[in-house]
Amino acid sequence: MVLQNLFIGFLKTAEGFPEEGRRSRVLTQWRKPDNICIPVLKNRIKRFLGLGGYTMNQVRLVADSSCDLLTLDGADFVSVPLSIRTDTEEFCDDANLDVDTMVSTLRETKGRSYSACPNIADWESAFGESGNVIAFTITSALSGSYNAACVAKKNCEERNPARRIYVVDSLSTGPEIALLIERALYELRSHADFDKACEALNTYQAHTHLLFALESMHNLAQNRRGAIFILP
């Protein structure tokens, strides 16, 4: 949600991508705290009644909150929140985030504002104690989220050598990460094994791109992430 308010973007996706994987607005559950558990509950009821549902080969999907997703329909999905901080306040990018208040505060802040990625413990908690995981992070060029996730992967696999955890550096943010997550979901629902799902994901990633424009330079300037040029 933080990045959704900073970027205006659109995606160019690979041609020939299966229709099942294109239904991003159908598969995803966006930031509505009152319906976070509904898709998972529906899936469990369907499976209990023998009316379908998905097991997805027992693979958990995890992503930092730059993907702007909270849940995926019928999937074991965990969002790991980033945070935005000022000298006096901190905003955690989770279901309880008041976006309007955050944006207003950042606009009025005269001092420095900065972001913080999930730490290693946050990623380990999201990965859980067992089962395979595919994780997605904001581009490593802008954040330490990917490095923290890789360390958490190493720690989890050392504790349980039978586990497989694959961490994807999205080289992007926002809706492109959502597409990568939903491609992984499509592969798993198509009964691909873990390695084939990861391989297909890598192939798909090579054909996705994010084009964006900054709505405002204010937060970049406050965060000291780049120079501000004033044109005559």
Side-chain angles (χ1 to χ4, degrees), residues 111-113 216-228:
R112 185 187 175 202
S113 62
S216 169
M217 298 291 288
H218 176 76
N219 291 320
L220 278 183
Q222 297 293 81
N223 202 12
R224 300 174 184 173
R225 292 288 180 125
I228 301 297

Side-chain angles (χ1 to χ4, degrees), residues 120-121 123-130 151-163 165:
I120 297 170
W123 281 108
E124 289 187 19
S125 176
F127 291 163
E129 297 298 325
S130 62
V151 174
K153 156 191 162 68
K154 181 175 179 292
N155 293 344
C156 290
E157 290 180 339
E158 286 178 350
R159 286 195 295 267
N160 184 353
R163 298 190 72 183
I165 299 175

Side-chain angles (χ1 to χ4, degrees), residues 2 81-94 96-98 101-102 105-106 109 113-119 122:
V2 172
L82 293 93
S83 62
I84 295 288
R85 300 171 183 174
T86 67
D87 292 335
T88 59
E89 296 191 60
E90 178 177 352
F91 299 94
C92 185
D93 192 23
D94 58 16
N96 299 313
L97 176 65
D98 186 330
T101 298
M102 181 197 69
T105 299
L106 292 175
T109 295
S113 62
Y114 54 98
S115 60
C117 68
N119 60 36
D122 293 332

Side-chain angles (χ1 to χ4, degrees), residues 21-146:
R22 291 187 179 183
R23 298 180 297 143
S24 61
R25 293 301 180 269
V26 175
L27 294 176
T28 54
Q29 299 292 317
W30 297 93
R31 295 186 175 276
K32 298 179 181 179
D34 58 334
N35 73 350
I36 289 173
C37 296
I38 291 175
V40 175
L41 181 60
K42 284 182 177 178
N43 183 61
R44 290 180 178 176
I45 292 174
K46 286 181 180 179
R47 290 172 59 189
F48 178 77
L49 296 176
L51 299 176
Y54 302 99
T55 61
M56 296 201 338
N57 300 330
Q58 305 301 314
V59 175
R60 170 173 288 186
L61 303 178
V62 179
D64 63 40
S65 60
S66 66
C67 70
D68 202 33
L69 301 175
L70 286 177
T71 66
L72 286 176
D73 190 5
D76 181 6
F77 175 78
V78 178
S79 174
V80 190
L82 293 93
S83 62
I84 295 288
R85 300 171 183 174
T86 67
D87 292 335
T88 59
E89 296 191 60
E90 178 177 352
F91 299 94
C92 185
D93 192 23
D94 58 16
N96 299 313
L97 176 65
D98 186 330
V99 177
D100 292 336
T101 298
M102 181 197 69
V103 171
S104 177
T105 299
L106 292 175
R107 284 175 177 167
E108 295 172 0
T109 295
K110 303 301 182 183
R112 185 187 175 202
S113 62
Y114 54 98
S115 60
C117 68
N119 60 36
I120 297 170
D122 293 332
W123 281 108
E124 289 187 19
S125 176
F127 291 163
E129 297 298 325
S130 62
N132 295 337
V133 177
I134 301 177
F136 304 81
T137 75
I138 187 174
T139 175
S140 59
L142 293 177
S143 171
S145 187
Y146 174 73

